[in-house]
Amino acid sequence: MNAFDLKSVLLAKHAQHVVLVHFPIALFLIGVAFDFIAQRTHSATLAAAAYYNLLVAAMSALPVVATGIMAWRWQLEGARLQGSLLLHFILGIVSSVFICTSWWIHYRTRRRADHPLPGYRMPLELAGVFVVALTGHLGGFLSGVN
C-alpha cells in the first residue's frame, strides 16, 4: 500500500475509525479540563472554551461510532462480537453517551442564562473521562498498537 495513494488510504477497511477516534477523545478530555478550571476560577472564557470543545467532541463522536460499526462489518465480516472487541464496542457506545450528555448539560444551561451549571456534571464528566480512557486503551490493544 502506497502512503500517497489516496484511494487506498480512504477505502481501507478500518482506517477511518482509527483516524477519527482521536478527535472526540482529545476534545472531550480538554473540554472537561477547561470546565474544571473554569469552575475553579470562575472564568467565562474557559467555560465557553469547554462548551465548544464538548460541542465538537459530541459532533465528532457520531462518525466515530459509525466508522467503528463499519470497520466491524467490513474487516470482521460481521462476525459475532466477543471478548475485548465486545467490551470495546459497549464502552464506545457508553463513551459517546457520556460525551453527548456532557455537551447537552452545558447546552441546556447556556440557553437559560440565569441558571448555573448543575453540580452533578463534574462527577458525570469525570466518569466519562474514565470510560473514554478505558475504551481507548482497549482500542489500542485491538488495533495492535500496544
Side-chain angles (χ1 to χ4, degrees):
M1 173 176 170
N2 183 356
F4 296 104
D5 180 16
L6 195 58
K7 183 179 176 183
S8 65
V9 170
L10 291 177
L11 297 178
K13 292 185 177 182
H14 69 287
Q16 295 79 16
H17 181 71
V18 174
V19 171
L20 292 177
V21 72
H22 296 90
F23 292 103
I25 292 172
L27 289 164
F28 180 67
L29 295 179
I30 293 300
V32 170
F34 282 163
D35 189 30
F36 180 75
I37 296 168
Q39 181 180 352
R40 304 290 280 171
T41 63
H42 305 289
S43 169
T45 304
L46 284 176
Y51 171 79
Y52 287 113
N53 272 276
L54 293 173
L55 168 64
V56 179
M59 288 178 11
S60 63
L62 302 176
V64 168
V65 170
T67 56
I69 292 170
M70 289 184 337
W72 162 56
R73 298 295 295 172
W74 287 345
Q75 193 170 21
L76 300 176
E77 299 172 352
R80 184 171 171 257
L81 294 175
Q82 56 188 3
S84 294
L85 187 58
L86 177 61
L87 185 57
H88 178 68
F89 177 76
I90 292 168
L91 289 175
I93 299 295
V94 172
S95 293
S96 295
V97 169
F98 270 116
I99 291 170
C100 292
T101 302
S102 296
W103 166 75
W104 181 74
I105 290 168
H106 284 261
Y107 171 74
R108 190 184 64 182
T109 303
R110 283 176 67 96
R111 286 184 42 206
R112 294 180 273 172
D114 58 336
H115 287 79
L117 283 164
Y120 64 82
R121 84 180 187 290
M122 288 309 296
L124 182 90
E125 289 175 357
L126 291 176
V129 166
F130 176 75
V131 173
V132 165
L134 185 57
T135 305
H137 179 70
L138 280 173
F141 275 104
L142 290 169
S143 68
V145 173
N146 295 339

